[in-house]
Amino acid sequence: MAGLKLLKSLALHDDKCWSVDVNNGGIMATGSTDRKIKLVDIRSFQIIEELDDTAHKKTVRSVAWRPHSNILAAGSFDSTVSIWGKDDDGYNDENDLETELLAIIEGHENEIKCVAWSHDGELLATCSRDKSVWIWEADEMGEEFECISVLQEHSQDVKHVIWHQSLPLLASSSYDDTVRIWKDCDDDWECCAVLNGHEGTVWSSDFEKSNSNVRLCSGSDDGTVRIWCLEDDNGEYEQEWIQESILPKAHTRAVYSVNWSPKGYIASTGSDGRLVIYKESEDGWIVECIHELTHGVYETNMVKWVEYGSKDVILLITAGDDGHVNVWKFDEN
Amino acid sequence: MSEFINENPDILDETLLPSRKEDITNELFGDALGKITHERKRQLLQIGSVDSPVLKNIGLLDKLLNQQLSLDETVPDLTDIETATESDENTEEEEEEDPIDAQEIYDLIAHISDPEHPLTLGQLAVVNLADIEVHDTNGKDKMAEVIVRITPTITHCSLATLIGLGIRVRLERSLSPRFRITILLKKGTHQSENQVNKQLNDKERVAAACENDQLLGVVSKMLSTCK
Amino acid sequence: MATDYTEDKLKADIVSFMANAKVNTSVADKLANTIADEVTRKSIELLRIVIFLREYLTSDDDSTRQNALSCLSCILEHISPAVLKKNDVSVIFDFYQSKMEDSGCMKETLQGINSLVLMDCFYVSHVEKLLKLLGNDYQPTNFLAATRYFGFRIMDNILIKFKSQMLGNLKLNDLYIETFILVATGEKDPRNLLISFRLNSDISTGLRNIDSFKEELFDILFCYFPIMFKPPSNDPYKITNNDLKLALRSAITATEKFEEDAFGNLLDKLAASSPTVKNDTILTLKACVDTFSGTSSLKHWLPIWDALKFEILNGTDPEPSILDTAMDTENQNSRPEGNISNYSDSLSIITSLSSKLIALDEHAFDKFFNHIFDEFVPNFEQDKDLKQCCDLLASISKVSLQTFNKVMKKVIPVLFMDKDLDASKQKLLILNLAPFFSAYISLFGETGKEISKFHAKNELQNHKDSILMVFSKALTGTSKNEVTLRTLAIIQFTTLVKMSGFLDSEEIAMIVQYFTETILTDENKNIYCACLEGLKFISVFNESIIYEVSLKYMLHLLPDNENMVPITLNNTDIVPIERVLKVILDFTTSRHHLVKESIVGLASKLNLIVMHPNCSDYCFLILSCLFSLLQNNIDEFDQNVVQFLKESMEETFLQNSLKNDMIYLDDHSLSLAAGVLFQLNIKSDVSTHQSELITYNKCFLDEERIFDSAQRSIVIYSRLLAALDKNTSFEAANDIFSKAIELIKNNEALPTFESLNYLEFLALLSNKWVTESYIESVLDLTDTSIKNLEIICWINKGLVMKNSVLATKLTDHLFSLLSDEKFGNKVAHLFEVLVLDLLIFQRFKKVSWNNNIRLIYKQKFFNHIAQKMVNAFKSSDNMTIKSNYLTAVSLVLKNTPSNITISYITDLLPLLLQALELENIEVRISSLETLKNTVNQMSQLVTEHVHSLVPLLLNLLVPSKYSNVNVRFLSLEILQTLTTSVPLNYLIPMKNEIISKLQIGLDDSKRRVRKQCIDTKQAYLELGQVPFE
């Protein structure tokens, strides 16, 4: 039976830790209510840097590394997005340089809930309580951002956005209990599907990391994790998605975060502090393992699969209300 | 849903609000009164007050008797003296757990003042002892739950969310993080009941509200009348 | 022979007068006086002065003219009235008349005229001319207040001197009134207004033909109503707003001729919004009703009633209902004096109307009363505003027996209209009756206070039975959770008893029985207090009823045989014994009534049950009750009370204690019994103490032989002796002192109870009877066995308390043993004994003979050892020894008043902090308690140590064997007080860490700790937060 072992518990923040992301250089970024963003080396668990915490006036809710770069985007409740990176002008050695603020993106009316880079790093999606999703085109250096599209079809607070790892698809989860799929139809983003089914706020979703079929998992306040599958993609506009299955009930309270691993495992966590790993078998999805109280008695806000470096070591990172970031080792057998 | 369920709420008398019948035993200060047998302590407290001379006297007698005991023991080796059984009886009595119950939650929130009236949520019967549920059986390292159902003063009362937020902030500050707090409007007491319930229990929205200084000012004012 | 007051002297005086006229009035006045005397003595002629002043009087410089004229007027003031002849008066009068145009000197002119009026030769013939002069040539508003003042003085003097002539001459009478109206119109100055108002009254009551002037006379009064005067800070005359108000009010009410205008205008003003204006109007209205005649009331009561009705029925501040006042006992009926109550003042007008009309004629009153009563009938049907209606009807009724009966006859039937009353109806009825009870009391007086005035048969008494029936139903017929109704019934029952002559003794007895049963069976705090107050009130003037019906009944209820049958009242309520004893205790403590009876009663009860094995707890309870009764009332006992108690119970009580295992073998009961005997003797007649000593010795030394073998009765013997006079001769003292020492030392299996009491006895002997030399000869300081150390310590306690020299020696010896590895810790604990406050060493008022305890012994002791301990602590580096010093210091601190220890705190603080880490609950608690006091008084000192104090306190929050409930609770309390005593900049850096560390307290197993943790956390959350708007 598969198992989870806590490798390290990092007490990084003195208030809720909401979000964590690891770039392929093994640098982990964390965002918290204490308005700080910390960079930690996942190998040595040493704090490398603490970004200037005056950049944001309120909670840093979401952090995301630009793929294949050391540029970081951070969305905050103060309705702005900060962009950080190393002013790498090629002269001096990269890692003794300070990460500094490259840009502040304004536009949203109120709290920003999530930021996500497209797989090629060219687009940045942001969503907020103002019910809108904005898509920005970023320049190479990450200093210029131009809004190319504002998507306003959610009827309520948009909680989470995620890009497909290869196709030009964006999934947004919302307080209005729905997930919307957006497609790039000749440079104009359209909503091509609305996934109805959840009976509570949809907190998070993630695409399956496979290029054969297009599937999405979503976690909601109704305590369920559901799998959606793209039936066919006939016209340029419409996409037909069906709710393929609801994963076995493993959570007693809201599910705040789901993450689909390249190997096909789905991890979910939430208000009951449980970390649950699901696996697809011939006769449907089964719960591979459950770990209780991942952050003590506190709620757990986010879970993320991490693969970097050697493939055989599979890590999971969770962020919790205790301000800790926990690194788990997942072994399949 | 009649238009005004609780429009001009009859103001309950503050002194008649449900209160805990003082459990006299835990009034006693562990060792200051010596180790009178529990029963005698209880009896004396039925007759006089905690600082009655007779209770002090009996307490002193027991203290001295116990001191005699510990002094007269044959002189054990050094380390034992330190751990001389200070008072086994005292430590057990102290382990006895006071569970967190609905009355305790009620005492925490009943004196929050209503943003509109110069009265408390208890007086306006916005919060009632019967509408509070506490599920906390499985120990301090496990999750627990508190559910509070509130009755807003008027059905379209826009302040329901503000009152709910005030209660949530008071409970989050006063309870251990193992408690999951759910605040709901009582069935049929509010036109947009579901929307309000949803907002009151969206952890992220609440966190954001708590960073809004103006809102926090109002909440602090509401909590200032807590006893 | 005329003194040589020459012409030149006159000139000089005049010139110097004029120089000082404005600058130094007292000097000028003295000069004028000397000149006037000269005139009176006829040494100089007034005319000479006038001639001499002529040149000044006609100078074109205003102030010269003023000074000159003022000189003349001032002289006139001092001349005696008879001096000036008729023509002098006329000449000078004409002269002043001519000066009237000279407006610059109007003040001096009027001043002069005023003096002239008082001259004997100023006849009524001049008055007419003067009045016309004032009427035409004097416009008061053009002049200053000081000038106008003389205008009023002239009018005043004219009225005083020529009133009879004016009464005889209508033309003159009218002329005077017209002139007054001119002079008074537009006046603003408070001093002048006071004269104007008074003159107005004198005129309206003294002169004729007022009717033709009454509108004008009234207008120049009412134009000032309501008075809104703020006295200037430097007001020389100290006139207050209230002075003016009262003067105006008495002027308005001076004559009934003003009645039409007065009532009309006042009723209009009643609708004024400002409460103070409204109150002034109401009080003036009342004054009018009271002063004017009955016919005036008859003519005007209807409009007054219509206007007042609105004020009373929806008056903003109806009196708090008797229930509210009863509930919050603190501010019973004290209405903050500044606060005006328009409600009760309006009611008082109704009472005035009622009394005026009933005095005038019965039918007038009946018409008035019925009109109001009929208006209220719908109110009674719909139970609307009944409080105001009843207050109003009560205020009508309380004028006399006649009015009372008339009102009661109609109101009572309406009140008792519907028969089947549910709880809320009963509550309403009781509330409605309340005002009529207070009317009854204001009419017929309060029981026990003054002898009741006269209480002839009155209407209320006819309905006494139905009233009593309603109250009994409310109290005994309703369920216990009807708290408000039952409390109301109890309060009203007590009021019924207050109504002198209303209830007869059986009825009072019935009420006492209701109270007794209720207090025994009802758990609610409010009900308990209301019954207790009721019983106490009745006991003030009727002790026998309380004794017979309540106390004796309760004593009877207490079981008096071994089968301990549970007490049941009206065979439903089980009454625990503790509840009965609690009521007896609460009742007797505050009123010192029936204390003797309670003590004797309980003692006899004890006598009946002391031999039954299953009554041991019951014995303990009775003994603790007896102990408390004595302890609470000992100061009030005088010798014959003590003598009575001793004679009636000591002998049996002593035998019971010695002969019955229930008491003898129970540590608590035996020591309580000894405590009772101690207090019985503490105030007994000192002359008997020698013989008492002999009897006790015979019993304990000869018969019981308690010093041959250790016996439990030592506690009784020791406490009896503790009460006796220290000067009694006690030959056997030394002998039994040594025997006691032997008993303690050599008796291996000595039980702790005996050991403790023999030790306490040693302390008693060393304090009272045994000499220091004998003590030294008996003590063996080399023997360091625990037994011996205890003996030394307890003997030393007796010596320390009398500041004896030997005490210092023994204390130093004990101190030196603290540094001993083996038993240093035990000695540390023994140090507490030296300063422990024991029952037998307690000080009693007016009792000084029973022991040698000096008031400031603790101060002397603490000064002696505190510094030694601190130095020894610092110099030693062995942790065990250091903890001995910590233990000793903190245990001593615990029993020493903080005002003594405060001066050492600076040195002690480091010790206290280290004591917090010591594994000993008592030491931790005593250090925390000392710290707690220190934080408030010495916040600056604590601030210096805050960085080490906070982490220590936070560690104590973790529950452990040595961090029990109190330790955790006290630590949280101190953490909270830091937020208000330590400067912000010290705490802010630690704020987040403290808040997160406080978390453990939120989950503490004890609710008290959790609550304190929440308050402490809230204090830190708000640290530095700017207070919200």
Side-chain angles (χ1 to χ4, degrees), chain C residues 148-170:
Chain C
R148 300 198 307 267
Y149 168 71
F150 283 107
F152 279 106
R153 288 300 305 283
I154 291 170
M155 295 304 286
D156 200 4
N157 288 334
I158 292 171
L159 186 60
I160 296 166
K161 195 170 173 191
F162 299 102
K163 183 169 177 193
S164 49
Q165 290 92 328
M166 285 200 273
L167 283 176
N169 170 348
L170 187 59

PDB file of all heavy atoms in Angstrom, chain C residues 148-170:
ATOM      1  N   ARG C 148     -29.690 102.731  37.046  1.00  0.00           N
ATOM      2  CA  ARG C 148     -31.083 102.227  37.098  1.00  0.00           C
ATOM      3  C   ARG C 148     -31.383 101.709  38.502  1.00  0.00           C
ATOM      4  O   ARG C 148     -32.503 101.778  39.009  1.00  0.00           O
ATOM      5  CB  ARG C 148     -31.266 101.096  36.058  1.00  0.00           C
ATOM      6  CG  ARG C 148     -31.005 101.533  34.619  1.00  0.00           C
ATOM      7  CD  ARG C 148     -31.583 100.573  33.600  1.00  0.00           C
ATOM      8  NE  ARG C 148     -31.157  99.162  33.808  1.00  0.00           N
ATOM      9  CZ  ARG C 148     -30.078  98.618  33.196  1.00  0.00           C
ATOM     10  NH1 ARG C 148     -29.300  99.369  32.421  1.00  0.00           N
ATOM     11  NH2 ARG C 148     -29.767  97.349  33.399  1.00  0.00           N
ATOM     12  N   TYR C 149     -30.313 101.234  39.148  1.00  0.00           N
ATOM     13  CA  TYR C 149     -30.478 100.696  40.514  1.00  0.00           C
ATOM     14  C   TYR C 149     -31.100 101.766  41.422  1.00  0.00           C
ATOM     15  O   TYR C 149     -32.076 101.500  42.150  1.00  0.00           O
ATOM     16  CB  TYR C 149     -29.099 100.259  41.037  1.00  0.00           C
ATOM     17  CG  TYR C 149     -29.049  99.959  42.519  1.00  0.00           C
ATOM     18  CD1 TYR C 149     -29.665  98.809  43.032  1.00  0.00           C
ATOM     19  CD2 TYR C 149     -28.436 100.851  43.410  1.00  0.00           C
ATOM     20  CE1 TYR C 149     -29.629  98.537  44.395  1.00  0.00           C
ATOM     21  CE2 TYR C 149     -28.403 100.567  44.771  1.00  0.00           C
ATOM     22  CZ  TYR C 149     -28.997  99.423  45.268  1.00  0.00           C
ATOM     23  OH  TYR C 149     -28.968  99.160  46.620  1.00  0.00           O
ATOM     24  N   PHE C 150     -30.625 103.018  41.268  1.00  0.00           N
ATOM     25  CA  PHE C 150     -31.147 104.087  42.147  1.00  0.00           C
ATOM     26  C   PHE C 150     -32.584 104.430  41.784  1.00  0.00           C
ATOM     27  O   PHE C 150     -33.415 104.738  42.634  1.00  0.00           O
ATOM     28  CB  PHE C 150     -30.220 105.317  42.082  1.00  0.00           C
ATOM     29  CG  PHE C 150     -28.960 105.133  42.902  1.00  0.00           C
ATOM     30  CD1 PHE C 150     -27.741 104.928  42.288  1.00  0.00           C
ATOM     31  CD2 PHE C 150     -29.035 105.098  44.297  1.00  0.00           C
ATOM     32  CE1 PHE C 150     -26.596 104.709  43.059  1.00  0.00           C
ATOM     33  CE2 PHE C 150     -27.894 104.878  45.066  1.00  0.00           C
ATOM     34  CZ  PHE C 150     -26.665 104.675  44.441  1.00  0.00           C
ATOM     35  N   GLY C 151     -32.919 104.254  40.476  1.00  0.00           N
ATOM     36  CA  GLY C 151     -34.319 104.458  40.077  1.00  0.00           C
ATOM     37  C   GLY C 151     -35.223 103.559  40.908  1.00  0.00           C
ATOM     38  O   GLY C 151     -36.212 103.998  41.534  1.00  0.00           O
ATOM     39  N   PHE C 152     -34.779 102.261  40.981  1.00  0.00           N
ATOM     40  CA  PHE C 152     -35.610 101.299  41.730  1.00  0.00           C
ATOM     41  C   PHE C 152     -35.616 101.669  43.214  1.00  0.00           C
ATOM     42  O   PHE C 152     -36.656 101.612  43.889  1.00  0.00           O
ATOM     43  CB  PHE C 152     -35.051  99.874  41.545  1.00  0.00           C
ATOM     44  CG  PHE C 152     -35.475  99.241  40.228  1.00  0.00           C
ATOM     45  CD1 PHE C 152     -34.572  99.106  39.181  1.00  0.00           C
ATOM     46  CD2 PHE C 152     -36.795  98.834  40.033  1.00  0.00           C
ATOM     47  CE1 PHE C 152     -34.974  98.540  37.973  1.00  0.00           C
ATOM     48  CE2 PHE C 152     -37.195  98.273  38.820  1.00  0.00           C
ATOM     49  CZ  PHE C 152     -36.282  98.130  37.794  1.00  0.00           C
ATOM     50  N   ARG C 153     -34.453 102.125  43.712  1.00  0.00           N
ATOM     51  CA  ARG C 153     -34.398 102.439  45.168  1.00  0.00           C
ATOM     52  C   ARG C 153     -35.385 103.566  45.489  1.00  0.00           C
ATOM     53  O   ARG C 153     -36.105 103.506  46.497  1.00  0.00           O
ATOM     54  CB  ARG C 153     -32.951 102.883  45.522  1.00  0.00           C
ATOM     55  CG  ARG C 153     -31.911 101.786  45.524  1.00  0.00           C
ATOM     56  CD  ARG C 153     -32.223 100.689  46.522  1.00  0.00           C
ATOM     57  NE  ARG C 153     -32.397 101.230  47.870  1.00  0.00           N
ATOM     58  CZ  ARG C 153     -31.380 101.590  48.640  1.00  0.00           C
ATOM     59  NH1 ARG C 153     -30.142 101.504  48.193  1.00  0.00           N
ATOM     60  NH2 ARG C 153     -31.599 102.074  49.835  1.00  0.00           N
ATOM     61  N   ILE C 154     -35.472 104.529  44.591  1.00  0.00           N
ATOM     62  CA  ILE C 154     -36.399 105.656  44.839  1.00  0.00           C
ATOM     63  C   ILE C 154     -37.819 105.114  44.928  1.00  0.00           C
ATOM     64  O   ILE C 154     -38.560 105.358  45.889  1.00  0.00           O
ATOM     65  CB  ILE C 154     -36.274 106.700  43.700  1.00  0.00           C
ATOM     66  CG1 ILE C 154     -34.907 107.402  43.789  1.00  0.00           C
ATOM     67  CG2 ILE C 154     -37.414 107.716  43.762  1.00  0.00           C
ATOM     68  CD1 ILE C 154     -34.578 108.262  42.592  1.00  0.00           C
ATOM     69  N   MET C 155     -38.203 104.272  43.918  1.00  0.00           N
ATOM     70  CA  MET C 155     -39.574 103.739  43.899  1.00  0.00           C
ATOM     71  C   MET C 155     -39.825 102.935  45.186  1.00  0.00           C
ATOM     72  O   MET C 155     -40.898 103.011  45.806  1.00  0.00           O
ATOM     73  CB  MET C 155     -39.776 102.832  42.670  1.00  0.00           C
ATOM     74  CG  MET C 155     -39.673 103.572  41.347  1.00  0.00           C
ATOM     75  SD  MET C 155     -40.840 104.960  41.255  1.00  0.00           S
ATOM     76  CE  MET C 155     -42.386 104.039  41.009  1.00  0.00           C
ATOM     77  N   ASP C 156     -38.786 102.214  45.587  1.00  0.00           N
ATOM     78  CA  ASP C 156     -38.922 101.370  46.782  1.00  0.00           C
ATOM     79  C   ASP C 156     -39.185 102.261  48.008  1.00  0.00           C
ATOM     80  O   ASP C 156     -40.141 102.046  48.776  1.00  0.00           O
ATOM     81  CB  ASP C 156     -37.602 100.577  46.955  1.00  0.00           C
ATOM     82  CG  ASP C 156     -37.848  99.339  47.849  1.00  0.00           C
ATOM     83  OD1 ASP C 156     -39.040  99.141  48.216  1.00  0.00           O
ATOM     84  OD2 ASP C 156     -36.892  98.622  48.168  1.00  0.00           O
ATOM     85  N   ASN C 157     -38.350 103.307  48.154  1.00  0.00           N
ATOM     86  CA  ASN C 157     -38.485 104.166  49.343  1.00  0.00           C
ATOM     87  C   ASN C 157     -39.835 104.893  49.351  1.00  0.00           C
ATOM     88  O   ASN C 157     -40.474 105.023  50.394  1.00  0.00           O
ATOM     89  CB  ASN C 157     -37.323 105.183  49.365  1.00  0.00           C
ATOM     90  CG  ASN C 157     -36.009 104.469  49.722  1.00  0.00           C
ATOM     91  OD1 ASN C 157     -36.069 103.434  50.389  1.00  0.00           O
ATOM     92  ND2 ASN C 157     -34.893 104.951  49.219  1.00  0.00           N
ATOM     93  N   ILE C 158     -40.264 105.305  48.146  1.00  0.00           N
ATOM     94  CA  ILE C 158     -41.568 106.013  48.081  1.00  0.00           C
ATOM     95  C   ILE C 158     -42.662 105.089  48.623  1.00  0.00           C
ATOM     96  O   ILE C 158     -43.475 105.457  49.469  1.00  0.00           O
ATOM     97  CB  ILE C 158     -41.880 106.445  46.626  1.00  0.00           C
ATOM     98  CG1 ILE C 158     -40.908 107.547  46.174  1.00  0.00           C
ATOM     99  CG2 ILE C 158     -43.327 106.922  46.483  1.00  0.00           C
ATOM    100  CD1 ILE C 158     -41.003 107.887  44.702  1.00  0.00           C
ATOM    101  N   LEU C 159     -42.623 103.824  48.122  1.00  0.00           N
ATOM    102  CA  LEU C 159     -43.689 102.883  48.521  1.00  0.00           C
ATOM    103  C   LEU C 159     -43.636 102.679  50.040  1.00  0.00           C
ATOM    104  O   LEU C 159     -44.660 102.735  50.733  1.00  0.00           O
ATOM    105  CB  LEU C 159     -43.487 101.530  47.788  1.00  0.00           C
ATOM    106  CG  LEU C 159     -44.631 100.502  48.012  1.00  0.00           C
ATOM    107  CD1 LEU C 159     -45.969 101.067  47.503  1.00  0.00           C
ATOM    108  CD2 LEU C 159     -44.321  99.202  47.303  1.00  0.00           C
ATOM    109  N   ILE C 160     -42.409 102.496  50.552  1.00  0.00           N
ATOM    110  CA  ILE C 160     -42.288 102.235  51.997  1.00  0.00           C
ATOM    111  C   ILE C 160     -42.857 103.424  52.796  1.00  0.00           C
ATOM    112  O   ILE C 160     -43.669 103.290  53.691  1.00  0.00           O
ATOM    113  CB  ILE C 160     -40.796 102.000  52.369  1.00  0.00           C
ATOM    114  CG1 ILE C 160     -40.268 100.733  51.677  1.00  0.00           C
ATOM    115  CG2 ILE C 160     -40.623 101.912  53.880  1.00  0.00           C
ATOM    116  CD1 ILE C 160     -38.745 100.590  51.709  1.00  0.00           C
ATOM    117  N   LYS C 161     -42.498 104.661  52.376  1.00  0.00           N
ATOM    118  CA  LYS C 161     -42.801 105.860  53.197  1.00  0.00           C
ATOM    119  C   LYS C 161     -44.226 106.356  52.969  1.00  0.00           C
ATOM    120  O   LYS C 161     -44.888 106.812  53.916  1.00  0.00           O
ATOM    121  CB  LYS C 161     -41.788 106.971  52.830  1.00  0.00           C
ATOM    122  CG  LYS C 161     -41.742 108.122  53.830  1.00  0.00           C
ATOM    123  CD  LYS C 161     -40.547 109.039  53.511  1.00  0.00           C
ATOM    124  CE  LYS C 161     -40.615 110.286  54.409  1.00  0.00           C
ATOM    125  NZ  LYS C 161     -39.654 111.315  53.988  1.00  0.00           N
ATOM    126  N   PHE C 162     -44.722 106.234  51.727  1.00  0.00           N
ATOM    127  CA  PHE C 162     -45.986 106.949  51.438  1.00  0.00           C
ATOM    128  C   PHE C 162     -47.119 105.988  51.063  1.00  0.00           C
ATOM    129  O   PHE C 162     -48.084 106.362  50.438  1.00  0.00           O
ATOM    130  CB  PHE C 162     -45.762 107.971  50.292  1.00  0.00           C
ATOM    131  CG  PHE C 162     -44.744 109.014  50.641  1.00  0.00           C
ATOM    132  CD1 PHE C 162     -43.458 108.929  50.151  1.00  0.00           C
ATOM    133  CD2 PHE C 162     -45.083 110.063  51.506  1.00  0.00           C
ATOM    134  CE1 PHE C 162     -42.503 109.900  50.493  1.00  0.00           C
ATOM    135  CE2 PHE C 162     -44.136 111.028  51.843  1.00  0.00           C
ATOM    136  CZ  PHE C 162     -42.853 110.948  51.339  1.00  0.00           C
ATOM    137  N   LYS C 163     -46.964 104.676  51.436  1.00  0.00           N
ATOM    138  CA  LYS C 163     -47.980 103.706  51.031  1.00  0.00           C
ATOM    139  C   LYS C 163     -49.376 104.157  51.498  1.00  0.00           C
ATOM    140  O   LYS C 163     -50.320 104.194  50.710  1.00  0.00           O
ATOM    141  CB  LYS C 163     -47.659 102.315  51.633  1.00  0.00           C
ATOM    142  CG  LYS C 163     -48.628 101.220  51.207  1.00  0.00           C
ATOM    143  CD  LYS C 163     -48.106  99.837  51.599  1.00  0.00           C
ATOM    144  CE  LYS C 163     -49.156  98.802  51.202  1.00  0.00           C
ATOM    145  NZ  LYS C 163     -48.851  97.494  51.825  1.00  0.00           N
ATOM    146  N   SER C 164     -49.501 104.475  52.747  1.00  0.00           N
ATOM    147  CA  SER C 164     -50.853 104.809  53.269  1.00  0.00           C
ATOM    148  C   SER C 164     -51.410 106.009  52.519  1.00  0.00           C
ATOM    149  O   SER C 164     -52.560 105.975  52.059  1.00  0.00           O
ATOM    150  CB  SER C 164     -50.746 105.151  54.755  1.00  0.00           C
ATOM    151  OG  SER C 164     -49.684 106.103  54.908  1.00  0.00           O
ATOM    152  N   GLN C 165     -50.552 107.029  52.273  1.00  0.00           N
ATOM    153  CA  GLN C 165     -51.094 108.202  51.547  1.00  0.00           C
ATOM    154  C   GLN C 165     -51.576 107.767  50.164  1.00  0.00           C
ATOM    155  O   GLN C 165     -52.613 108.176  49.678  1.00  0.00           O
ATOM    156  CB  GLN C 165     -49.999 109.270  51.391  1.00  0.00           C
ATOM    157  CG  GLN C 165     -49.609 109.966  52.689  1.00  0.00           C
ATOM    158  CD  GLN C 165     -48.443 109.262  53.375  1.00  0.00           C
ATOM    159  OE1 GLN C 165     -48.322 108.038  53.255  1.00  0.00           O
ATOM    160  NE2 GLN C 165     -47.627 110.016  54.094  1.00  0.00           N
ATOM    161  N   MET C 166     -50.781 106.886  49.522  1.00  0.00           N
ATOM    162  CA  MET C 166     -51.180 106.489  48.156  1.00  0.00           C
ATOM    163  C   MET C 166     -52.499 105.720  48.217  1.00  0.00           C
ATOM    164  O   MET C 166     -53.368 105.887  47.357  1.00  0.00           O
ATOM    165  CB  MET C 166     -50.069 105.617  47.541  1.00  0.00           C
ATOM    166  CG  MET C 166     -48.840 106.449  47.106  1.00  0.00           C
ATOM    167  SD  MET C 166     -47.833 105.558  45.909  1.00  0.00           S
ATOM    168  CE  MET C 166     -46.762 104.624  47.007  1.00  0.00           C
ATOM    169  N   LEU C 167     -52.661 104.896  49.256  1.00  0.00           N
ATOM    170  CA  LEU C 167     -53.923 104.135  49.350  1.00  0.00           C
ATOM    171  C   LEU C 167     -55.074 105.128  49.463  1.00  0.00           C
ATOM    172  O   LEU C 167     -56.134 104.955  48.897  1.00  0.00           O
ATOM    173  CB  LEU C 167     -53.871 103.209  50.580  1.00  0.00           C
ATOM    174  CG  LEU C 167     -53.004 101.921  50.341  1.00  0.00           C
ATOM    175  CD1 LEU C 167     -52.916 101.096  51.625  1.00  0.00           C
ATOM    176  CD2 LEU C 167     -53.600 101.096  49.213  1.00  0.00           C
ATOM    177  N   GLY C 168     -54.824 106.248  50.184  1.00  0.00           N
ATOM    178  CA  GLY C 168     -55.887 107.219  50.375  1.00  0.00           C
ATOM    179  C   GLY C 168     -56.123 108.036  49.108  1.00  0.00           C
ATOM    180  O   GLY C 168     -57.197 108.599  48.909  1.00  0.00           O
ATOM    181  N   ASN C 169     -55.152 108.147  48.223  1.00  0.00           N
ATOM    182  CA  ASN C 169     -55.293 109.041  47.061  1.00  0.00           C
ATOM    183  C   ASN C 169     -55.144 108.210  45.788  1.00  0.00           C
ATOM    184  O   ASN C 169     -54.049 107.852  45.380  1.00  0.00           O
ATOM    185  CB  ASN C 169     -54.182 110.109  47.170  1.00  0.00           C
ATOM    186  CG  ASN C 169     -54.072 110.933  45.913  1.00  0.00           C
ATOM    187  OD1 ASN C 169     -54.664 110.590  44.877  1.00  0.00           O
ATOM    188  ND2 ASN C 169     -53.343 112.015  45.997  1.00  0.00           N
ATOM    189  N   LEU C 170     -56.287 107.857  45.169  1.00  0.00           N
ATOM    190  CA  LEU C 170     -56.286 106.931  44.008  1.00  0.00           C
ATOM    191  C   LEU C 170     -55.402 107.454  42.890  1.00  0.00           C
ATOM    192  O   LEU C 170     -54.614 106.727  42.291  1.00  0.00           O
ATOM    193  CB  LEU C 170     -57.743 106.757  43.514  1.00  0.00           C
ATOM    194  CG  LEU C 170     -57.888 105.670  42.401  1.00  0.00           C
ATOM    195  CD1 LEU C 170     -57.413 104.300  42.897  1.00  0.00           C
ATOM    196  CD2 LEU C 170     -59.316 105.609  41.893  1.00  0.00           C
TER     197      LEU C 170
END
